[in-house]
Amino acid sequence: MQKSISLLGSTGSIGRQTLDVAKNLHIRVAALAAGHASARLEEQARAFRPALVAVFDEAGARDLSARLRDMPVRVVSGEEGLAEAATFEEAECVVTAVVGTVGLQPTLAAVGAGKRIALANKETLVCAGELVMKKARERGAEIVPVDSEHSAIFQCLAAGGKAARKIILTASGGPFRGMTRAQLSHVTKEEALRHPSWRMGPKVTVDSATMMNKGLELIEAMHLFSMPPEDIDIVVHPQSIIHSMVAFEDNSVLAQLSHPDMRLPIQYALTYPERKESLTAPLDLSEIGALTFEKPDEETFGCLKLAKKAAREGGTACAVLNAANEEAVGLFLSGRISFLEIEEYVAGALETIRNISSPSLVDILGADAAAREYVRARARAR
Ligand code: MG
């Protein structure tokens, strides 16, 4: 079990749930990192007494440093501060719970330092999966997924051995499952944020509503488990009890089940290969009654189709998909564009921005920036 962690993105949904797990398992929190200084971050620093706190925003870092004057903690800022938290020597494991491409550089830094990475930031693998996995192999850094589906696949593969034939990713279908395009054209932000089974942050909740989340997860799975996209199936399972499955050569299928509770995959990434008592309630299937499955509707939820296309194309296509989506979701959350425009903007970015094969980190960051600029310009011209 990991004895000490550095937690990047401590004030978000996964970050807060990671602290619940750390407290329950008596794991030391050596470093905390967040984008901005907040009352919550100060509270976390006082409760967990880390040696280092990184705040991306410089003014926020100065402010927090003043407020924590009475504590033996060093407050650092900016990208350098984030990198320092990602490579902090007192931490054995780095939990990357930041949302978006901003997680890429610190994850690469942590991989470079040979840490175990409890990876909750799927955007890192979506935009630069080949680079990150290659570097992890070179440095012997272990990447253990926190995303519930990937944690399930990781557990099934560990139990079933090497002869995996197919990954079966489960999807809840989100709040708009069963709706038509006409109905989707006037859904609101509030409706998109009302997820039927999972408690998550706003970005991934909107991704879940468009089903882009499953597309991003397919790309994430492709890199984590070296599986081509055509060997990854998606099945809609609204109860969110089976978190994903693996089919083996002999057509035997292994699945991992639990209540939908992110604290469990977070904990597994920290205790693997051991298991410990958790905060998750025991599963009583007779109480749940039925587990159902259906095919995803890619015609209605076009983001899924776009993600599969980008996965097949490779190169910088996934970085463009991911950045355009992140930017468009931000515009949707601020009320500037409609729900279906998220998909239109991502499709437009993929059509417009030239794909570069075997990209370097510079190519990836360039594609990311170009996709964001495309989405912003299109929204301005709206
Ligand atoms: Mg997930």
Side-chain angles (χ1 to χ4, degrees):
M1 192 172 104
Q2 304 293 295
K3 289 182 200 74
S4 58
I5 60 168
S6 172
L7 172 55
L8 312 182
S10 67
T11 53
S13 173
I14 297 285
R16 286 173 351 241
Q17 296 183 75
T18 301
L19 290 175
D20 292 343
V21 170
K23 189 176 171 198
N24 188 49
L25 295 176
H26 306 289
I27 292 173
R28 166 152 168 75
V29 179
L32 290 175
H36 306 276
S38 59
R40 177 173 279 149
L41 183 60
E42 183 182 348
E43 228 170 79
Q44 291 178 342
R46 290 193 180 281
F48 290 88
R49 311 189 72 82
L52 183 77
V53 177
V55 184
F56 189 75
D57 169 54
E58 303 213 355
R62 276 196 299 278
D63 175 51
L64 187 72
S65 174
R67 280 191 276 150
L68 293 175
R69 238 183 336 236
D70 58 313
M71 303 253 309
V73 57
R74 204 154 55 81
V75 180
V76 293
S77 69
E79 265 179 47
E80 276 164 51
L82 204 53
E84 199 176 335
T87 54
F88 194 47
E89 55 177 65
E90 287 178 37
E92 292 176 335
C93 170
V94 178
V95 182
T96 58
V98 296
V99 178
T101 311
V102 67
L104 173 59
Q105 309 261 35
T107 304
L108 281 170
V111 166
K115 305 279 189 194
R116 173 183 289 190
I117 320 288
L119 186 78
N121 172 268
K122 70 188 71 171
E123 292 88 349
T124 289
L125 288 185
V126 172
C127 71
E130 265 165 56
L131 281 179
V132 173
M133 296 308 289
K134 182 166 170 268
K135 194 166 177 188
R137 279 191 298 273
E138 283 166 9
R139 300 296 166 102
E142 216 176 0
I143 298 185
V144 185
V146 167
D147 209 342
S148 59
E149 293 78 1
H150 304 76
S151 176
I153 297 161
F154 186 81
Q155 294 177 55
C156 294
L157 286 171
K162 296 264 175 264
R165 205 171 71 182
K166 239 180 206 310
I167 283 172
I168 305 156
L169 265 181
T170 53
S172 70
F176 304 143
R177 183 174 60 92
M179 279 194 184
T180 62
R181 295 285 289 187
Q183 287 169 312
L184 288 181
S185 67
H186 43 75
V187 295
T188 65
K189 169 182 136 184
E190 287 69 28
E191 289 165 333
L193 288 175
R194 223 174 283 138
H195 197 277
S197 49
W198 286 100
R199 174 167 71 99
M200 306 179 291
K203 199 263 179 181
V204 59
T205 307
V206 173
D207 283 346
S208 211
T210 61
M211 289 204 72
M212 179 61 96
N213 186 49
K214 216 43 60 181
L216 299 177
E217 289 183 349
L218 179 141
I219 300 165
E220 186 186 5
M222 201 171 96
H223 293 298
L224 271 173
F225 308 114
S226 315
M227 210 39 133
E230 56 275 18
D231 289 341
I232 305 174
D233 288 348
I234 295 170
V235 63
V236 174
H237 165 50
Q239 295 81 19
S240 301
I241 296 294
I242 294 182
H243 301 305
S244 277
M245 298 171 261
V246 175
F248 292 88
E249 286 301 346
D250 58 357
N251 286 333
S252 183
V253 176
L254 296 189
Q256 184 259 337
L257 291 75
S258 76
H259 285 291
D261 179 347
M262 282 310 296
R263 293 173 305 181
L264 191 54
I266 293 168
Q267 163 158 332
Y268 189 70
L270 300 179
T271 63
Y272 162 79
E274 291 171 49
R275 291 186 187 272
K276 299 274 174 195
E277 228 172 276
S278 80
L279 297 162
T280 302
L283 183 63
D284 180 350
L285 284 173
S286 60
E287 209 171 89
I288 297 196
L291 301 180
T292 62
F293 306 92
E294 58 197 69
K295 274 199 166 43
D297 179 356
E298 287 180 24
E299 298 311 317
T300 306
F301 296 91
C303 282
L304 188 52
K305 213 175 194 178
L306 291 172
K308 282 187 172 176
K309 185 167 171 269
R312 283 192 304 269
E313 277 171 19
T316 46
C318 294
V320 168
L321 172 96
N322 173 62
N325 177 62
E326 197 176 317
E327 210 61 39
V329 169
L331 291 171
F332 171 70
L333 284 170
S334 63
R336 306 248 323 266
I337 66 172
S338 71
F339 183 76
L340 285 179
E341 276 174 303
I342 297 173
E343 178 189 323
E344 284 166 32
Y345 282 39
V346 174
L350 282 169
E351 269 163 38
T352 311
I353 297 160
R354 193 172 59 90
N355 193 3
I356 302 170
S357 54
S358 308
S360 66
L361 184 58
V362 173
D363 295 330
I364 288 166
L365 296 176
D368 178 284
R372 286 173 202 277
E373 188 39 48
Y374 170 87
V375 169
R376 277 187 227 123
R378 187 160 167 179
R380 277 195 302 271
R382 193 174 177 265

